[in-house]
Each structure stands twice: as C-alpha cells, then as structure tokens.
Amino acid sequence: MSYAELTVAEAAERIRKGTLSPVALVEACLSRIEALEEKLQAWVTVDREGALSAARQCEREAGRGHIRSPLHGVPVGVKDIFYVGGMLTTAGSKVTADFVAPFDATSVARLRQAGAIILGKTQTTEFATFDPAPTHNPWKPGHTPGGSSSGSAAAVAARMVPCALGTQTAGSILRPASYCGVVGYKPTYGRVSRYGVFPVSWALDHIGSIARTVEDAALVAMAMAGHDPKDPGSLHAPVPDLRACLARRDPPRLGVVHEFFWEKASPEVARQTDGALQRLAKAGARIEERRLKPSFASSHAAHRIVMKAEMAEVHRERHKASAEKFGPRIRANIEAGMLIGAADYFRALRLRRQFAEDLWALAATVDALVTPSTPTPAPEGLGSTGDPVFQTPWTFAGMPAVTVPCSLSEGGLPLGLQVVAAPNRDAEALGVAAWCERILGPLPAPPL
Amino acid sequence: MTAETDRETILRELLAEAEKRFGRGRIEALRPTLEATAAELAQVRAAAAGPEVEPMFYPHVPD
C-alpha cells in the first residue's frame, strides 16, 4: 500500500511511533500528484521544495520526540483563496492571477504551528463562486467534482493528499466532498477564522475541512479552530474536543426532513438515502420526522440577496479597475449585487434571524438532522459545479454540517448523507457523522 | 401582490438601472442573473418579518 492511501490519523500515528517518515509521506503524495494531475487538474500550485523542506523539519523534530499535534508531519492541500505567505494565491481568477499572499491566513498559520505541511494550493471556482475550475471528478473524469472547493475534494478523493481546506458560502465544502465520495465538515459560523481568506460574503463565509474520514476532518478543523481577534465574526467560546465524541456508541436520535429535500432529490438519491436510513435504523438509530417552519420558504432567496449584495462590495474596486477580467458568472452576480438596495439587503438579514432561530430550535429537538447531501450525483460536464440547494439552509443559519459517503449511484458516482446539528454542537454533529460512517462503511477508492 | 413584490416590475426596474450603470451592451449577459435576482427580491419583499426582528449579520447563538 502506498503511504498516500493513509488517513490523517493513521499517518500521524505512524509518524509519532517513528515508523513513517514525513518525507516519505510527502514524496508519496507528490508521486500520486505527478501520476494523476494531468487527468484531474486539482492543483494550482504544488510546493514540492517547500513541502519537502517542512517534512525534513518535522522528521528532525519527531526524531527528538517532539510531536507538535496529531497533524505533525501530515500534508494538507489549501484551497487557492487562502493566503499562504509567499505563495501565489490566484482565487481562480485572471484578476488576481499574479497575486502573491503577503502572509499566512490564520487557519494556515495554525496548521503550520500544529506541524502540518502545506503541500500546495488546490483549484477553486473563481473567487469561490460560480465560474468553474478545470478540475475533473476522480470517480468519472468529465463529471464535475463540485465546487467551489473543487480541487480540495478531488485531490483528497484521488489520494493526492490526505486532507485539504475548503470554504462554504452556500454549499462549497459539503457538495464537492459528497460528489467526490469523501467527508466534508463545515463548522459552526465563526468557529474557524476567516482572516486571510478572500471573502465571498462576510456574513456567510465558513472555513472547514475535507478528508477521507470524519476523524480526519475533525483533526484538521480542531487545529484551525479558536477565537481570532482579527476576524470580527470569530466565536469566543472555547473549542470543545471534537475528537472526544467520535467514539460515540449510543445510536443517535435523527430528525429526517422529508419535505423539500426528498422533493428536490432525484428518485435514485431519494431511494438510496432511504436505504441508508434503513441501515442506520437497523443499527439502532431512532428516526423521527421533522417539519420545516414557514420561514424556510424564503430562505434561499434571502441567502442569495445577502450573498450578491456583499459580493458587490467585496469586489467593488476590482470591478471598477478591470471588470472585463472577471468570469461571466461572477461578473454578472457582482453587477446584480450592485443593484440591490440597502432596504432589501436588511430585509434579507431580518428574514435570516427568523429562519435561523426556527432552524436552531428544530435541530435542538434531536441529536442531528439528516438529509441527502445533494439532489443528484455529480452532473456530467465541467460547465457547472452542481446545485448547492441542500447546503444553503444550514450555511445561512451558521449550523455545523458534515457529509459522509453513503453509497454509489447506479452510474458509479458517490452519494452522501448530510448530518446537521444545532449551532456550537459541532462535537455532536461529528459524533453522529462518525457513528453513521461506521454503520454505512467506507466507499472504495475511485477507479483511477 | 403589489408593484413592489411583482417580479416583472422588479425586473424592469433592474434592467433599466443596469443599462444606466453598465451600458446597453451588458444587458444580454446580465439578463439571466437579473431575472433570478428579481425573483429573489420579490420573495424577500413578500416574506413576513415581524416588526421586532432585527437583522442578523453574524449567525451567533446568544450567550
């Protein structure tokens, strides 16, 4: 078995015991990238020398018995909207094609402090919005890997790197993770600092992780989490031990929201999700129906109004200087956002409060809510990154959400189960997701 | 429904404003996005928000 097959937890354990060299692990990932990158196009920058140098440092430290954290010596892929000091940070745009980040994003700095190795920058849709990246889905090249964290999800699924960073403003972590058959975790809003990450929308952006197991996704998020005074939306609450709940043995109480989600799901996704729920119920999970409140009806529209209005301000100066350099979809959305008035923006934010409080109360009645992660498997073609409609509500309400692989479609593409908890109950969301992961079992590696 | 919540009326207003700000040449490229935006604005304006509800910028749970 190649070292590139190892999960974060497995690799870290071997490094701690001295049976795996971080240099050998990085070299295995680089070999995998070399073999598959032409086919998948998951990376913008691969920092071969920087990663090997950091790996040698980790190896020396490990040799002295100094293990910085459970990520010591583990390579990480970083979505190309995060600042990595001294590294090109293009945000997938011609507008910032030559931008070299002057410092590390807080999340990246914390990963480095934890001993993680920055392997390089992964492909993103333009400024993490609508114009797609060139990345292919490892399960079926020619199909989208989803977006906006396209390269992160594809690289983790293809065993190019054991874990990667993503961001989610609507559905940009969980959707690509689900399409690529891996785990995606979007923490509670403000749990991980946004400082040093190109914003899409200040009120909506979340930072999270993509990995091959729930435990790995939790390890990466824990290393990044915690208050950051540089991020005004950052939570002050202490970070719970997200790994402690992963050993959960008690079957959870799950709230299933059939309305909307099963109505929008394709017949195959609905059938396969029902099959997964039956397996969970057989293992002891209590499955209870939950109903959405009327505030749900306008939530997608309100989310879009907030997102477009904020995008217009985020990109105002860049648009003024070089509108023609933007891709067609982001440019149209920036310009539409410029036409949204302040009163409509504030109405959308008022609707958000009503909606979020309704959804928080609903989630608090169970251990977690569950839905399919996406309405369909990854669509064919690279012209779109699929539909974020199943993630948008939880993102808008700032709630922790996890997707775990659930099964393969008839066409051989992965499907996911989305697990959502009340805000600040990240440990519960991850614990339930890990329990579901154990019952549903792992997917095989993509047939590359 | 009032003119304020009628998506066709909203779309006409958006198209007129877009032409003024970005030029006639941008209208064809903008139309699909403005149609979607008009529908969203119509929904947001028509949705009931209680008078005591304040905007939520950061979705933080109160302490």
Side-chain angles (χ1 to χ4, degrees):
Chain A
M1 183 183 80
S2 161
Y3 294 138
E5 293 282 338
L6 295 172
T7 66
V8 170
E10 289 167 347
E13 178 67 2
R14 291 189 189 198
I15 289 168
R16 192 181 64 75
K17 287 182 173 165
T19 59
L20 172 63
S21 147
V23 176
L25 178 58
V26 166
E27 282 173 343
C29 292
L30 290 170
S31 297
R32 188 78 179 158
I33 293 170
E34 202 170 312
L36 294 171
E37 177 59 7
E38 195 179 327
K39 189 175 184 179
L40 298 181
Q41 300 188 54
W43 298 83
V44 178
T45 302
V46 177
D47 185 18
R48 170 179 285 274
E49 291 315 312
L52 285 169
S53 167
R56 285 191 286 270
Q57 171 71 19
C58 284
E59 190 165 82
R60 282 193 294 272
E61 290 178 3
R64 295 196 302 268
H66 176 48
I67 298 291
R68 297 195 206 182
S69 86
L71 290 185
H72 190 96
V74 174
V76 179
V78 179
K79 183 179 181 179
D80 201 26
I81 64 167
F82 289 73
Y83 284 19
V84 174
M87 211 180 277
L88 200 61
T89 300
T90 72
S93 179
K94 286 180 188 161
V95 179
T96 39
D98 303 319
F99 176 71
V100 176
F103 57 87
D104 281 347
T106 298
S107 47
V108 171
R110 288 182 179 176
L111 286 172
R112 285 197 208 267
Q113 284 160 13
I117 294 166
I118 307 303
L119 192 58
K121 306 297 289 294
T122 54
Q123 292 278 4
T124 173
T125 63
E126 186 168 356
F127 285 109
T129 58
F130 309 102
D131 300 277
T135 312
H136 293 254
N137 191 310
W139 288 84
K140 211 171 248 193
H143 285 243
T144 179
S148 60
S149 308
S150 317
S152 287
V156 170
R159 277 62 175 166
M160 292 168 157
V161 68
C163 58
L165 304 191
T167 60
Q168 181 158 312
T169 306
S172 289
I173 294 174
L174 270 71
R175 180 168 92 267
S178 175
Y179 282 168
C180 292
V182 293
V183 172
Y185 165 42
K186 180 200 80 65
T188 294
Y189 181 89
R191 177 57 73 199
V192 178
S193 170
R194 299 162 300 145
Y195 182 71
V197 180
F198 272 116
V200 178
S201 159
W202 300 285
L204 302 172
D205 292 345
H206 297 67
I207 311 298
S209 51
I210 295 175
R212 292 199 293 275
T213 67
V214 175
E215 180 181 20
D216 287 2
L219 283 171
V220 175
M222 264 188 78
M224 299 189 289
H227 180 67
D228 178 11
K230 292 176 179 163
D231 174 355
S234 179
L235 284 174
H236 284 269
V239 183
D241 182 352
L242 298 177
R243 263 205 314 177
C245 57
L246 297 178
R248 176 191 185 112
R249 293 290 159 195
D250 300 338
R253 187 176 169 202
L254 302 176
V256 176
V257 188
H258 275 100
E259 64 181 313
F260 183 79
F261 294 93
W262 264 255
E263 290 157 14
K264 293 262 180 199
S266 70
E268 183 185 18
V269 166
R271 195 174 58 249
Q272 295 234 29
T273 310
D274 285 337
L277 291 176
Q278 279 166 17
R279 289 160 67 195
L280 298 178
K282 210 170 157 191
R286 282 170 57 193
I287 312 276
E288 300 173 10
E289 184 69 31
R290 287 292 179 271
R291 303 284 301 172
L292 297 165
K293 295 278 175 63
S295 59
F296 190 87
S298 59
S299 62
H300 284 85
H303 169 275
R304 285 287 162 164
I305 292 302
V306 172
M307 182 170 159
K308 286 176 191 171
E310 294 195 14
M311 275 172 64
E313 176 58 12
V314 165
H315 294 293
R316 183 194 296 266
E317 299 308 321
R318 285 186 278 265
H319 180 273
K320 204 186 288 177
S322 46
E324 70 291 343
K325 284 191 181 173
F326 281 100
R329 293 181 205 174
I330 186 171
R331 182 177 176 186
N333 277 277
I334 291 168
E335 291 171 357
M338 288 174 173
L339 306 179
I340 292 169
D344 289 320
Y345 171 74
F346 282 111
R347 166 60 71 93
L349 286 176
R350 292 177 67 220
L351 294 174
R352 180 191 211 183
R353 181 175 298 279
Q354 222 160 245
F355 164 73
E357 289 177 358
D358 284 346
L359 218 49
W360 297 348
L362 186 74
T365 64
V366 285
D367 291 323
L369 299 167
V370 289
T371 74
S373 294
T374 57
T376 65
E380 189 168 9
L382 302 185
S384 142
T385 58
D387 192 345
V389 70
F390 286 1
Q391 278 76 54
T392 299
W394 325 112
T395 308
F396 199 37
M399 298 160 74
V402 187
T403 180
V404 290
C406 148
S407 56
L408 289 178
S409 71
E410 283 156 14
L413 285 159
L415 301 173
L417 185 72
Q418 181 170 235
V419 177
V420 185
N424 297 330
R425 292 182 64 184
D426 294 67
E428 286 78 0
L430 289 161
V432 171
W435 187 89
C436 294
E437 180 183 52
R438 276 197 298 277
I439 304 302
L440 298 173
L443 291 184
L448 284 163
Chain B
M1 192 196 305
T2 65
E4 201 199 33
T5 58
D6 174 50
R7 60 195 279 180
E8 290 306 321
T9 307
I10 298 170
L11 179 59
R12 277 197 298 278
E13 289 168 0
L14 288 176
L15 287 167
E17 185 62 20
E19 191 173 323
K20 222 187 297 173
R21 290 181 66 166
F22 310 118
R24 185 175 288 250
R26 282 291 298 150
I27 294 302
E28 198 184 328
L30 275 172
R31 183 179 284 275
T33 308
L34 293 184
E35 283 172 352
T37 307
E40 290 152 4
L41 284 170
Q43 239 187 313
V44 163
R45 290 175 186 177
E52 74 289 356
V53 178
E54 294 198 7
M56 174 185 271
F57 190 73
Y58 296 132
H60 290 164
V61 179
D63 292 330

